[in-house]
Amino acid sequence: MSHVSLPSLRPSACPALSRIVAARDGGLCRVKLPGGVLHAAQALAIADAAEAHASGIVELTNRANLQLRGVKSGHEAELSRRLRDAGLGPQIPAAQAAWQATVADDVRNLLLSPGAGIDEYALCDTQPLAREILVLLQSEPRLAALSPKFCLLLDGGERLAALDHPHDLWFAAMEAKADDEPWFAIGLAGQPTALQDTAANPALAAVRARDLPAMIMALLHTFLDVAAPDENRMRDLLRRLSGADIVTRAATRAAIELRCDSTICAWRRAPADPGRRFGAWRQRDARLWHVGGQPPLGRIDTHGLRALPMLAEEYGNGTFRLTPWQSVLIPDVPAAAVADAKQRLASLGFLLDAQAPLARLIACAGSTGCTKGLADTKRDALDLAQRLPDGVDVHLSGCPRSCAAAHCAPYTLLAVEAGRYDLYRQEPLPACAPLTTSDVAARFGVRIGTNLTLEAAAQLLGAAARSTLDD
Ligand code: SF4
C-alpha cells in the first residue's frame, strides 16, 4: 500500500468557510470570493444560510471577502455545507479529503482590483490570469504550510485600486509597447508604488505575463524552502534575506527569464483613485458603467443581501463585486440605467457620496462581537458620525490588531476602555507597514490624544484637520 505524506498544516485561528471561529457574538465564518465577485444566486444562498444558521449580519472585509457573524452553536457543519453547495468553496475534486478543502480555501488570498477587466485605465484584464493562478494555488498540497494570512496582489493598473494594503507578494502590470507582451513588475512585502508616492517600494524584477503563474508558484515554494518556522510572512523573511535573492532563487528554480534592469527599479504605476468606488464611473466599454456604494460600517443584513442581486440582475450582468474598502460595485450598467441604479442602491442605505461622514469611518467588530474589544467601536462610530469634522477619515479599532484596516488610516481611534480612545495620526513617512500588535505607534502613527471621549476626539480631529490645511 503506498503511503502519501501530508504536508504539515499551520494551525490557524483565522475564520474560513470550514473553520468557524468563536467570537463574542457567536461563530464567525469567512467566505472567500475569487476576484471579489458574487453571483446573484450565491448572494441569495448566503442570505438564506445567514438567516438559518447565523445572526443574519454579513460583514464585508478589507480583502473583498465576506463573513457571516453570529453562527449558531451546532449549526457550523450545516452552514459550511450549504455554502460549499452554493459554489462558494475552493474548486477541488470532490474526492479530495476535507483537510485539503480547508487548505485550498486558505490559500485563495489573491486580491484583484474591483475594476478588473472593466476599468477604463487598466493595462490588462487580470481575470483570466487570476483564474489560472487560483487553480494552481488550490491544487498544491504543500501550500498548506503557508500562513492563511499570506496574501497576493495581482494589479492590472486599474484606476480603482487599493495601493495602501500590504501584500506578501505583489505583481503589477507594466505599460506594454505596441505588439509587446505584457510584463508584470514583482515586489515583496508591500504594494506597488504609484507615481505620486514619496515612499518608494520599488519593484525587484519583472516577468512576462505568460510566466507569471509559474513564477508565483516558484516564489511560494522558495518561501517555504527557506523560511524558518517562526517566519510566517514575507516581511519576516526579508529581515534575513534580500528581496532580490528570493526572487532570483525562485526564477532559477522555475527556469524563468526575468528583467532586472534599472528601468524596473524606477518603474511606478499610474495613480489610483479609491474614490471611484462611490457612485457611477464609465467602464472600458464606454456604453457601460459601474455603480458602487458602501454599506455603513461594512455590514449588510439579509434584506440588503437579497436586494443587491436583484439590482445586479435588473441593471447589470447578474453579478456584483466586493471591494477592499468594504463596499460593493455593480458592473456593466448601461448608461441609460445609471441614475435608477444609483437611486435604488442609495434607497437600500448604501453611501454613494465619498464625503458622507459614515463613508469616512471604518470600525472593527468591537466589544459586542469580539472578546478583545475594549469599546463598542461600531456604536461609537455611529455616534462619531454625528460630529465628524469634514475632510478626515477615521478608523476605530477595539484593540491594536486592526482587523478593520489592512492599511494605516489617516486617523485611528484605538480603544482604551468603553467609550474612550487614544487618537493616532498617520505619519506621512515612512509608509505604514504591517507590524506586530505591540508596535502600535508604527502601525497607527503618532499619538496625538489620550483617553479621549468621542466628543473630545471629534474636537481634536477638527483641530488636527485644520492644522493640516494650514501647513
Ligand atoms: S481589532 Fe481587536 S477588538 Fe477589533 S475585531 Fe480585531 S481583535 Fe477584535
Side-chain angles (χ1 to χ4, degrees), residues 375-408:
D376 185 349
T377 48
K378 292 285 190 200
R379 191 198 59 195
D380 289 346
L382 291 174
D383 189 336
L384 185 61
Q386 307 298 319
R387 51 186 116 198
L388 188 69
D390 290 344
V392 293
D393 287 56
V394 183
H395 165 208
L396 289 86
S397 194
C399 83
R401 289 173 68 96
S402 188
C403 295
H407 67 298
C408 183

Side-chain angles (χ1 to χ4, degrees), residues 380-381 383-384 387 396 413 419 421 452-459:
D380 289 346
D383 189 336
L384 185 61
R387 51 186 116 198
L396 289 86
L413 283 168
Y421 294 83
L452 302 168
T453 62
L454 290 174
E455 191 177 358
Q459 284 174 1

Side-chain angles (χ1 to χ4, degrees), residues 108-172:
R108 294 191 301 158
N109 298 328
L110 178 64
L111 189 71
L112 308 185
S113 159
I118 58 173
D119 189 293
E120 70 174 307
Y121 294 95
L123 300 173
C124 71
D125 179 357
T126 54
Q127 294 174 109
L129 259 178
R131 282 192 284 274
E132 195 181 335
I133 293 162
L134 281 172
V135 168
L136 287 174
L137 293 176
Q138 291 170 173
S139 28
E140 175 46 70
R142 191 184 181 211
L143 301 188
L146 286 173
S147 159
K149 292 184 187 301
F150 204 96
C151 55
L152 285 62
L153 171 72
L154 185 58
D155 171 19
E158 297 86 357
R159 185 64 56 92
L160 178 58
L163 295 186
D164 49 6
H165 292 204
H167 306 268
D168 292 275
L169 309 178
W170 60 260
F171 308 90

Side-chain angles (χ1 to χ4, degrees), residues 168-169 186-189 202-205 215 219 222 234 237-251 258 260:
D168 292 275
L169 309 178
I186 302 174
L188 306 182
L204 298 163
M215 186 64 193
L219 278 164
T222 301
M234 187 59 81
L237 182 57
L238 287 177
R239 294 192 187 108
R240 196 162 55 75
L241 289 182
S242 76
D245 186 3
I246 296 165
V247 169
T248 304
R249 286 183 195 217
L258 294 178
C260 302

Side-chain angles (χ1 to χ4, degrees), residues 34 42 84 86-93 96 104 108 134-135 138-139:
Q42 292 176 325
R84 276 197 305 273
L88 291 157
Q91 302 306 303
I92 60 167
Q96 287 189 1
R108 294 191 301 158
L134 281 172
V135 168
Q138 291 170 173
S139 28

